[in-house]
């Protein structure tokens, strides 16, 4: 490589971006999986290119100080297939996903923008079902969809319907929750069972159909978060463990905060049917997506109060204390297994692959 | 599903480990043959609660890991052809051939799909009569019945657009190859429970007798594995070399005869190359000549594809239990799940991937 400075050379070919982009001359599915490949794409391409202090926080949403107040801004795209799955559809996800990103900043969601990329030939009746589902979800969550955009691409250049939503929220607390605020000793609270959404979608995905009564957990979490803040304004960090699952969420926080995390494998609630489906496909429930769950880091002395508030809310009925942040092994998540041994919980590389047998 | 929590009971696991501790008087090396068992051992940390005298050697029973580079290259060549829908079990997608993997050809436009059952690939061929649907039929005896059924069904349906790329491997010849190796350190085997659920365990008594080695048919949950290890140690300590069934809730002596009949009808034994190990005589299944019209290698003319393995990759020594994954100089350096040199780093069942995924290279004591 030429060691002279070269203006025509874009940053990501230079030393700021070492391994991942060179490893993959083309984008692979794993770059969108929420696993390590996604994290590397963000860290080595997007953050250096856009370089704003808000982006560098790598929160679920950005918090901006505007005219005397703080607002949270979040955006999320939805490309799920199939569009309708047990327990939900792409429209609901598009509303809940962005509301939840705002809620993870402790923000009260106010308004959403929605952009649609539609494929030529896509059924108008199906589009209407999706849009009505979005409207119902927004209304139920008390959030308005206030602006939008529509583009149509040629047949074969899209997958029916993609939706991007962007949301604006009002930040309640003066110091919003952030992974960097987590300190050793914090209790790790999980709002309910994991892996429901990912397994519900997988149960109906073409080529993987299996009959199991599993429903997506898609839900707006802002009211649960509000109840938690009422119980304890001192919540250090919140994450909704979507793609990459609980494993990715805990690893991101451990790395951002420079703490270790210890959890108890058996304390993590998993629905028995979901656990069986994961077992059958060789997937780790901790690495499977959720759309209506959150993980919270709170000072130990407030843990039982927050846990009680969570359990009193319909979306947190099965909330559990699953572990603690620790000073040992910073950046690493360790689980105590059922037989009393330990294992390290890592972030999956890319797409979770069903195992052969 | 029953049989999940019951077989992960902490106090019962500790009690079994304690029984093993009290029984053991010297060092023993025991091989769990199946990759699913390796995965479970590392995931639950079974080896951490065993007495230090017991060494578990991770065997070659990961079908993804032992599928030869050449076969992957054939898969890539077929998947890249226009009009082909290439169907595979998920974890084959990231296994490197000599230059790239199925994900890479997929990102360039090849139609590669993950299926859970080969019968789904047959259905796909029915739905897409103008496309050629190819199923990557790999695996041990466990996956063979479904793969054979797919061939039978395609034949019954008269499908002209369905074929199989077959690279089946067999457990007993692999056990025998390990026992015949001059480097062999294995003193007892945990036979793979799922393979035995299909094949039974009638093939094992001659091996146990000839090589004076205990063989215990073992399941996959923590209590299954600990019970298998306990029985193996009991035999070793008392100088016995017998075949025992510690997975009786699933496995019978004769196995699933209906499944064996379907296999027999569609497949015939053949010499097979094992990635990292080499050629093992009569260690695989291929399609019978009567099913040659469903053979993707013939249909797509890939019989001549040849490939070399990475010289840096020591997966062969890992698969034979000569070294542990983290003892390979490339482990975690040149070779990671993102840049796998060998398939043992790719599959969830691969010993290297299991060590890497569960952080064995950076495992540290946990306080409290």
């Amino acid at each position: 490589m030429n060691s002279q400075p070269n203006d025509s050379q874009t940053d990501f070919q230079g030393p700021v971006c070492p391994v991942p982009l060179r490893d993959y001359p083309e984008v692979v599915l794993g770059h969108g999986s929420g696993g390590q490949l996604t994290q590397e794409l963000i860290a080595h391409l997007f953050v250096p290119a856009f370089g704003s202090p808000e982006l560098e926080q790598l929160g679920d949403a950005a918090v901006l100080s505007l005219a005397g107040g703080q607002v949270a801004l979040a955006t999320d795209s939805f490309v799920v297939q199939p569009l309708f799955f047990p327990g939900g559809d792409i429209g609901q996800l598009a509303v809940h996903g962005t509301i939840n990103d705002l809620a993870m900043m402790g923000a009260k969601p106010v308004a959403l923008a929605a952009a649609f990329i539609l494929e030529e030939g896509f059924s108008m009746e199906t589009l209407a079902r999706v849009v009505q589902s979005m409207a119902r979800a927004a209304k139920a969550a008390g959030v308005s969809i206030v602006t939008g955009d529509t583009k149509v691409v040629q047949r074969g250049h899209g997958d029916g319907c993609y939706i991007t939503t962007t949301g604006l929220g009002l930040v309640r607390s003066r110091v919003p929750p952030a992974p960097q605020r987590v300190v050793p000793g914090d209790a790790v609270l999980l709002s309910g069972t994991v892996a429901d959404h990912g397994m519900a979608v997988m149960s109906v995905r073409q080529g993987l159909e299996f009959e199991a009564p599993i429903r997506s957990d898609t839900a707006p979490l802002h009211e649960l978060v509000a109840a938690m803040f009422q119980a304890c304004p001192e919540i250090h960090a919140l994450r909704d463990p979507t793609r990459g699952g609980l494993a990715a969420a805990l690893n991101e926080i451990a790395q951002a905060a420079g703490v270790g995390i210890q959890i108890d494998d058996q304390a993590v609630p998993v629905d028995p049917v979901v656990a069986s489906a994961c077992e059958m496909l060789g997937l780790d429930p901790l690495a499977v997506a959720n759309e209506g769950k959150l993980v919270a880091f709170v000072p130990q002395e407030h843990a039982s109060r927050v846990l009680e508030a969570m359990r009193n809310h319909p979306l947190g009925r099965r909330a559990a204390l699953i572990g603690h942040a620790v000073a040992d092994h910073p950046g690493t998540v360790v689980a105590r297994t059922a037989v009393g041994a330990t294992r390290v919980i890592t972030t999956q590389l890319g797409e979770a692959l069903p195992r052969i047998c | 599903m029953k049989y999940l929590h019951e077989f992960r009971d902490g106090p019962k696991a500790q009690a079994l480990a304690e029984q093993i501790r009290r029984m053991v008087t010297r060092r023993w090396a025991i091989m769990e043959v199946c990759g699913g068992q390796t995965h479970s051992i590392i995931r639950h940390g079974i080896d951490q609660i065993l007495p230090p005298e017991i060494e578990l050697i991770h065997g070659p029973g990961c079908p993804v890991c032992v599928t030869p580079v050449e076969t992957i290259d054939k898969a890539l060549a077929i998947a890249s052809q226009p009009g082909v829908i290439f169907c595979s079990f998920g974890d084959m997608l990231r296994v490197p051939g000599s230059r790239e993997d199925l994900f890479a050809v997929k990102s360039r436009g090849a139609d590669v799909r993950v299926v859970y059952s080969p019968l789904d690939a047959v259905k796909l061929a029915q739905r897409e009569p103008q496309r050629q649907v190819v199923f990557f039929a790999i695996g041990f005896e466990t996956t063979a019945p479904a793969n054979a059924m797919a061939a039978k069904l395609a034949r019954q349906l008269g499908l002209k657009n369905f074929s199989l790329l077959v690279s089946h491997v067999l457990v007993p010849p692999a056990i025998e190859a390990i026992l015949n190796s001059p480097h062999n350190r294995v003193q007892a085997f945990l036979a793979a429970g799922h393979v035995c659920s299909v094949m039974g365990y009638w093939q094992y008594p001659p091996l146990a007798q000839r090589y004076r080695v205990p063989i215990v048919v073992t399941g996959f949950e923590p209590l299954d594995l600990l019970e298998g290890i306990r029985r193996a140690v009991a035999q070793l300590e008392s100088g016995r070399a017998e075949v025992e069934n510690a997975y009786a809730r699933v496995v019978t002596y004769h196995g699933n005869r209906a499944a064996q009949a379907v296999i027999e009808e569609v497949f015939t034994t053949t010499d097979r190359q094992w990635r990292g190990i080499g050629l093992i005589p009569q260690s695989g299944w291929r399609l019978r000549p009567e099913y040659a019209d469903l053979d993707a290698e013939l249909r797509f003319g890939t019989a001549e594809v040849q490939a070399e393995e990475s010289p840096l990759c020591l997966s062969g020594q890992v698969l034979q239990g000569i070294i542990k994954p983290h003892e390979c100089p490339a482990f975690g350096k040149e070779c990671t799940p993102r840049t796998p040199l060998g398939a043992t780093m790719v599959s969830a069942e691969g010993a290297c991937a299991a060590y890497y995924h569960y952080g064995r290279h950076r495992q540290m004591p946990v306080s409290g």
Side-chain angles (χ1 to χ4, degrees), chain A residues 16-221:
Chain A
V16 284
C17 175
V19 186
L21 298 177
R22 275 211 301 267
D23 282 357
Y24 290 91
E26 285 112 17
V27 172
V28 296
L29 279 175
H31 285 122
S33 66
Q36 277 178 39
L37 292 179
T38 309
Q39 286 174 17
E40 285 170 3
L41 190 64
I42 292 169
H44 294 291
L45 181 58
F46 296 132
V47 171
F50 301 147
S52 63
E54 291 83 3
L55 181 61
E56 277 163 21
Q57 295 292 310
L58 296 180
D60 285 322
V63 174
L64 307 168
S65 297
L66 293 179
Q70 283 191 308
V71 297
L73 182 66
T75 191
D76 210 339
S77 295
F78 299 84
V79 298
V80 65
Q81 276 296 344
L83 300 176
F84 300 85
F85 45 83
D89 57 67
I90 188 170
Q92 265 173 299
L93 277 189
V95 170
H96 296 159
T98 295
I99 286 178
N100 291 347
D101 283 347
L102 295 171
M104 295 309 114
M105 295 292 122
K108 177 181 162 35
V110 176
L112 295 180
F116 293 81
I117 296 179
L118 307 171
E119 185 183 3
E120 179 189 23
F122 184 61
S123 149
M124 196 57 87
E125 189 259 323
T126 311
L127 178 62
R129 278 171 68 202
V130 168
V131 169
Q132 273 148 18
S133 171
M134 278 181 85
R136 275 194 302 275
K139 190 167 174 216
V143 179
S144 316
I145 298 175
V146 293
T147 182
D149 180 51
T150 310
K151 296 281 188 302
V152 177
V153 295
Q154 287 187 22
R155 188 185 280 269
H157 288 238
D159 201 359
C161 174
Y162 299 145
I163 305 176
T164 298
T165 50
T166 302
L168 201 65
L170 290 174
V171 178
R172 284 191 201 86
S173 53
R174 208 168 37 79
V175 191
Q180 292 79 2
R181 293 183 59 203
V182 171
V183 291
D186 280 358
V188 185
L189 307 178
L190 176 66
S191 68
T193 55
V194 293
D196 301 79
H197 173 73
M199 296 316 292
V201 171
M202 210 167 277
S203 74
V204 290
R205 191 165 275 179
Q206 196 181 27
L208 277 180
E209 292 105 341
F210 53 87
E211 281 168 31
I214 301 174
R215 294 172 64 79
S216 167
D217 60 348
T218 182
L221 294 168

